[in-house]
Amino acid sequence: MLNLVVDREKQDLMPTGQTMKLKELERPAVQVWSPASQYPVYLATGTSAQQLDASFSTSGTLEIFEVDFRDPSLDLKRKGVLSASSRFHKLIWGSFGNGLLEGSGVIAGGGDNGMLTLYNVTHILSSGKEPVIAQRQKHLGAVRALDFNPFQGNLLASGASDSEIFIWDLNNLSAPMTPGSKSQQPPEDIKALSWNRQVQHILSSAHPSGKAVVWDLRKKEPIIKVSDHSNRMHCSGLAWHPDVATQLVLCSEDDRLPVIQLWDLRFASSPLKVLESHSRGILSVSWSQADADLLLSSAKDNQILCWNLGSGEVVYKLPPQSSWCFDVQWCPRDPPVFSAASFDGWISLYSVMGRSWEVQHLRQADKFGGKLVTFGLPSTPDFQVSQPCPRLVFISQVTTESEFLMRSAELQEALGSGNLLNYCQNKSKRTSLSSEKMLWQFLKVTFEQDTRTKFLKLLGYSKEELQKKVATQLESDLGLGERPQSKEDDLNSNRQPAFCSQASKHTAEETSASSAFFDELVPQNMAPWEIPITEDTDGLLSQALLLGELGSAVELCLKEERFADAIILAQAGGEDLLKQTQERYLAKSKTKVSSLLACVVRKNWKDVVCSCSLKSWREALALLLTYSEPEKLHELCDMLGTRMEQEGGGALTSDARLCYVCSGSVERLAECWAKCHQASSPMALQDLMELVTVLNRSLELLKRPDGVIPGPATAYRFTQYATLLASQGSLATAMSFLPTGCAQLPETFTPPAPITAPVMAPPSQLPASAVSHAPPGAPGECSLQQLQRLPPEKIGRKELPPEHQPLKDSFEALLRRCSLAATDLKTKRKLEEAAQRLECLYEKLCERTLSPHVLAGLHEVARCVEARSFEQGLAAHAQVVGCSSFSEVSSFMPVLKAVLTIAHKLQV
């Protein structure tokens, strides 16, 4: 993924005029990017209704292209194509999906004659089922304005001529709604529509007359109109501020007033700021959703500009184009990338950071990093030299961690050769610590056959040794091992004890020997047996057996504590009776192994894990390895390891790693390591990389899908490791450890839930705090005066992923502790503001738009918060900010740092 690393002055953006084209496509088409949640990144194009190619064809085509920035060529890979019934004025790509539409979202196309068409993206890409979901011809004129609601993906706004605006519910397309009565007299075209990025029921529309109308869909009426009354402002586009609910920009395509106006609806009498660098009318604007300071614009002066709205200055200017660019769009997933569609039939992709980050690093791997550049001073002072004096420049490799690099190279060699079994064996031999030796022996077993049996042997349990010990014990108990040898013994010297388990079938000789053995135990002159019919226990037991009352017979045996008789009879009585009898026996038995017998009989391994003494963790792990089902072993071993970490007082944390090796939990292994190594020294980090990489490789060989996807803790350490390798000049190896695939899998994206309640609620259902009076001269009541204090609506908001819920819990608990401990009002106000600002983080977590190393760093910060280690938390925070895109983290990382600083000061 490309990262936009810029400071507040955007000094890292490319200088004016420098070429930075990434891709290009020759198409007279309108364009739209795939949503931020979509991977791989796609660009959809639809034949433009306002352009003709050389053949003067009027047919339309909808195409989808994959954008692969790792490919250094300028070409785009076409992944899907579809003939369209009409050409397009506008395309919009939403992430709506409810099971019937899989997960790639919906493309809406606005065409001539009021035609609105909805396409299933998955069906276009697969060329299978019918891709057209629906077509509606509700509008009277060309549909030039479209926008999906960012909170409820099933809501689509469309605008056309005659001031018509419709709100479509993709769950029910039969009856579109209107935001209110037509606001323009005479009616005008709708040039642009945009949903507010903070409040889901606010929609704005732009009109050629220069006005922007803000609609409240719950009131079903316009609540404010903005215009500078110059009569030269001809609105061609608008966009809401990504973070501030009351701010929007308008652009004018009138050559007499080619400006961009920034409006704040709290002060709607005049623009807050006016941007004036274009010389002719502006055709489009695009506000970066990743960095609220960046705004793109294109105009009829053949210029494409990138503005810093904070300073009002142009921070990037593309070289003049050969034709007008009628549409520019930031890429939702890759913040530095944008696309531009021009009237000469070309769509071009650019980056404000130059060539793709991946391409740069693949081409320059190991050429930089760990280098020291020095130059010599001239022997003659500068003021005595009349002409420039040449100086020698020296570039040398600086390596400060030679042992770290040597061990890293050994690991890479083992990974490359696939000889990880020998690697584990050597690591086990080299270490002097018994715990580390055991850990590497466990890892070695993961590459061998019959892993459970070998894990048991490492824990000290061997079936072969046990059988030998049992046989010896039985011989001793029967007196066969100590009595003088007789002639009869000579005859039966080859026999085995009857109670020893034999794998082979008995031969005739073995059967004879067995019979002779029982002859010794049972006297041959025993009288024929009789059935006692008395009133004592034996008599009653006999009567019960004669009548088939096995339940009563078992009860009698249990009363007399004749447990062997009870078990034998219960077995003849069926499974239920046997189970009841076993439970009765286990409840009464008080021997040293009673608990162990109960575990084996009941097979309730979760209870074993949760209730066993941690002094017997080896025995508990042995039980799991011996008896648990393969599909349950992972969960049970993780539970045992977690208990050892949480309840062992730190003494068993190191041993818990063995449980995670048995379960194949790379993420848990990394988290466990982090508890023992607060400071990530190079050698300690190398230790971890060796462990998790080897375990991960064994899981890959077993085709465990979770073995190749690093979790937050693992991804964070991978990033640290890659950074350290790069600093030592080993860039190629560093690149191989970067967790590029973590957040780029389509299956991790959960589509938004279908609408459960209409967004257009009657005014009576509005919260009282949302109702206020409009500014002077504005029609109706304006609820936008207080929008900046209203939290985003919860309806339609995605669920926080379970794996990230601990982040929210930790940070909210920290805020509560700080609020209780704070005494001055200034600190309390900072904490209140922080609580609101952190909502942006939770939204990003719900949308799954944060990169893997940012997620990993946040989880590391949360762990430090739980441990009350705020200095470590601030260090982890700095690590995240140092290697992250400003645009990705600027909305929440500064405030998180402020909270950590306050917590450190208050010692909460």
Side-chain angles (χ1 to χ4, degrees), residues 681-745:
S681 67
M683 299 312 298
L685 194 57
Q686 178 65 34
D687 290 338
L688 175 66
M689 287 298 103
E690 291 169 354
L691 296 173
V692 299
T693 304
V694 170
L695 181 56
N696 218 38
R697 184 58 58 89
S698 72
L699 297 176
E700 289 175 359
L701 295 175
L702 292 173
K703 294 181 171 53
R704 279 270 297 274
D706 53 344
V708 296
I709 305 175
T714 315
Y716 179 70
R717 299 303 174 186
F718 276 154
T719 304
Q720 279 188 314
Y721 187 60
T723 302
L724 186 55
L725 284 169
S727 71
Q728 298 296 308
S730 186
L731 289 188
T733 306
M735 289 294 295
S736 69
F737 278 94
L738 286 177
T740 56
C742 307
Q744 300 175 348
L745 302 165

Side-chain angles (χ1 to χ4, degrees), residues 8 15 39 66 162 179 190 370 424 536 560 574 580 788 813 827 855:
R8 276 293 176 185
Y39 187 85
E66 180 181 345
D162 200 26
I190 304 295
C424 295
D536 59 4
E560 296 294 321
Q580 294 172 11
Q788 71 277 9
T827 302
L855 291 172

Side-chain angles (χ1 to χ4, degrees), residues 130-145:
E130 170 58 44
V132 177
I133 300 171
Q135 282 190 317
R136 296 292 185 271
Q137 199 167 5
K138 181 76 172 177
H139 287 288
L140 297 178
V143 181
R144 293 187 170 89

Side-chain angles (χ1 to χ4, degrees), residues 200-449:
Q200 70 174 24
H201 58 271
I202 299 299
L203 176 73
S204 61
S205 58
H207 306 266
S209 62
K211 291 183 180 180
V213 180
V214 179
W215 304 83
D216 186 331
L217 270 69
R218 290 188 170 176
K219 293 185 175 182
K220 297 194 68 173
E221 64 181 22
I223 55 175
I224 193 171
K225 299 176 183 178
V226 295
S227 174
D228 68 350
H229 307 294
S230 66
N231 295 325
R232 293 182 298 170
M233 184 74 179
H234 192 105
C235 287
S236 56
L238 67 84
W240 283 101
H241 195 294
D243 303 322
V244 182
T246 57
Q247 292 185 5
L248 55 81
V249 293
L250 299 174
C251 63
S252 170
E253 63 178 334
D254 194 318
D255 291 343
R256 298 172 299 170
L257 191 68
V259 299
I260 299 172
Q261 297 177 341
L262 174 64
W263 290 82
D264 193 314
L265 301 182
R266 294 168 295 185
F267 318 102
S269 58
S270 62
L272 190 66
K273 189 174 293 185
V274 178
L275 308 180
E276 302 177 281
S277 283
H278 283 292
S279 59
R280 296 190 63 187
I282 300 170
L283 298 175
S284 71
V285 291
S286 178
W287 207 328
S288 171
Q289 298 303 301
D291 187 339
D293 277 348
L294 297 181
L295 183 79
L296 281 173
S297 64
S298 65
K300 291 184 284 186
D301 57 6
N302 293 2
Q303 294 281 356
I304 296 177
L305 306 180
C306 181
W307 305 80
N308 180 351
L309 282 178
S311 63
E313 299 176 348
V314 175
V315 292
Y316 179 79
K317 180 187 293 185
L318 206 68
Q321 305 295 294
S322 59
S323 179
W324 295 356
C325 172
F326 62 87
D327 182 37
V328 289
Q329 293 184 26
W330 289 106
C331 175
R333 188 174 182 87
D334 287 326
V337 179
F338 67 90
S339 59
S342 57
F343 282 118
D344 61 0
W346 284 91
I347 295 176
S348 302
L349 276 57
Y350 302 93
S351 171
V352 293
M353 299 294 289
R355 284 295 293 177
S356 162
W357 182 86
E358 294 91 340
V359 173
Q360 287 180 351
H361 284 71
L362 287 173
R363 288 180 174 178
Q364 300 178 5
D366 291 323
K367 292 185 179 179
F368 297 99
K371 295 293 192 297
L372 177 65
V373 180
T374 59
F375 59 90
L377 293 175
S379 57
T380 305
D382 289 342
F383 63 84
Q384 296 181 9
V385 179
S386 58
Q387 293 182 352
C389 176
R391 304 180 186 181
L392 292 177
V393 177
F394 302 92
I395 302 178
S396 56
Q397 178 71 46
V398 178
T399 301
T400 59
E401 301 290 343
S402 56
E403 184 182 356
F404 166 77
L405 286 179
M406 180 187 70
R407 287 180 54 186
S408 175
E410 289 179 359
L411 177 60
Q412 285 299 106
E413 182 181 356
L415 291 171
S417 65
N419 195 4
L420 289 170
L421 194 146
N422 285 344
Y423 179 80
C424 295
Q425 183 69 28
N426 292 333
K427 292 291 296 184
S428 176
K429 289 179 179 178
R430 290 177 189 173
T431 183
S432 58
L433 295 175
S434 59
S435 61
E436 295 300 314
K437 187 180 295 290
M438 175 74 85
L439 180 59
W440 280 108
Q441 288 173 345
F442 264 64
L443 285 168
K444 175 176 172 288
V445 167
T446 63
F447 293 94
E448 300 175 342
Q449 300 295 323

Side-chain angles (χ1 to χ4, degrees), residues 744-803:
Q744 300 175 348
L745 302 165
E747 57 266 29
T748 63
F749 169 63
T750 304
I755 185 171
T756 56
V759 74
M760 286 66 73
S764 60
Q765 297 181 12
L766 284 173
S769 60
V771 180
S772 62
H773 294 288
E781 294 181 338
C782 179
S783 62
L784 281 176
Q785 284 185 320
Q786 298 182 357
L787 288 185
Q788 71 277 9
R789 297 193 296 271
L790 292 178
E793 296 292 331
K794 302 301 180 184
I795 300 176
R797 174 173 170 174
K798 299 176 185 176
E799 293 290 334
L800 191 69
E803 64 268 25

Side-chain angles (χ1 to χ4, degrees), residues 883-894:
C883 59
S884 301
S885 146
F886 171 81
S887 58
E888 183 179 16
V889 301
S890 60
S891 59
F892 57 86
M893 287 304 274

Side-chain angles (χ1 to χ4, degrees), residues 544-808:
L545 293 174
L546 291 173
L547 294 172
E549 292 291 329
L550 295 182
S552 300
V554 168
E555 288 291 335
L556 289 169
C557 293
L558 290 173
K559 180 182 178 182
E560 296 294 321
E561 295 189 351
R562 295 164 60 173
F563 296 121
D565 291 344
I567 294 294
I568 291 173
L569 291 173
Q571 191 170 8
E575 185 177 347
D576 291 341
L577 182 58
L578 177 61
K579 187 174 182 179
Q580 294 172 11
T581 307
Q582 288 173 338
E583 292 296 328
R584 294 276 297 277
Y585 166 75
L586 294 172
K588 287 189 175 184
S589 179
K590 302 299 181 184
T591 65
K592 294 181 179 180
V593 295
S594 297
S595 298
L596 185 57
L597 288 174
C599 294
V600 175
V601 171
R602 291 168 178 161
K603 294 182 172 60
N604 193 341
W605 306 117
K606 282 192 177 181
D607 286 350
V608 173
V609 171
C610 295
S611 60
C612 72
S613 170
L614 290 181
K615 293 180 181 178
S616 301
W617 69 266
R618 286 175 178 264
E619 290 71 25
L621 182 56
L623 277 172
L624 300 181
L625 290 169
T626 302
Y627 293 104
S628 66
E629 299 86 350
E631 62 273 11
K632 296 291 185 181
L633 181 64
H634 174 87
E635 177 187 1
L636 293 169
C637 288
D638 280 356
M639 289 174 61
L640 179 60
T642 302
R643 269 201 71 201
M644 293 168 67
E645 287 188 77
Q646 295 177 349
E647 302 173 26
L652 297 179
T653 301
S654 180
D655 292 324
R657 297 178 300 175
L658 301 182
C659 296
Y660 301 141
V661 172
C662 292
S663 69
S665 296
V666 178
E667 180 72 359
R668 298 253 184 178
L669 183 61
E671 291 175 342
C672 184
W673 178 90
K675 293 183 179 180
C676 302
H677 301 81
Q678 290 295 332
S680 301
S681 67
M683 299 312 298
L685 194 57
Q686 178 65 34
D687 290 338
L688 175 66
M689 287 298 103
E690 291 169 354
L691 296 173
V692 299
T693 304
V694 170
L695 181 56
N696 218 38
R697 184 58 58 89
S698 72
L699 297 176
E700 289 175 359
L701 295 175
L702 292 173
K703 294 181 171 53
R704 279 270 297 274
D706 53 344
V708 296
I709 305 175
T714 315
Y716 179 70
R717 299 303 174 186
F718 276 154
T719 304
Q720 279 188 314
Y721 187 60
T723 302
L724 186 55
L725 284 169
S727 71
Q728 298 296 308
S730 186
L731 289 188
T733 306
M735 289 294 295
S736 69
F737 278 94
L738 286 177
T740 56
C742 307
Q744 300 175 348
L745 302 165
E747 57 266 29
T748 63
F749 169 63
T750 304
I755 185 171
T756 56
V759 74
M760 286 66 73
S764 60
Q765 297 181 12
L766 284 173
S769 60
V771 180
S772 62
H773 294 288
E781 294 181 338
C782 179
S783 62
L784 281 176
Q785 284 185 320
Q786 298 182 357
L787 288 185
Q788 71 277 9
R789 297 193 296 271
L790 292 178
E793 296 292 331
K794 302 301 180 184
I795 300 176
R797 174 173 170 174
K798 299 176 185 176
E799 293 290 334
L800 191 69
E803 64 268 25
H804 300 320
Q805 185 64 43
L807 289 178
K808 185 176 182 181

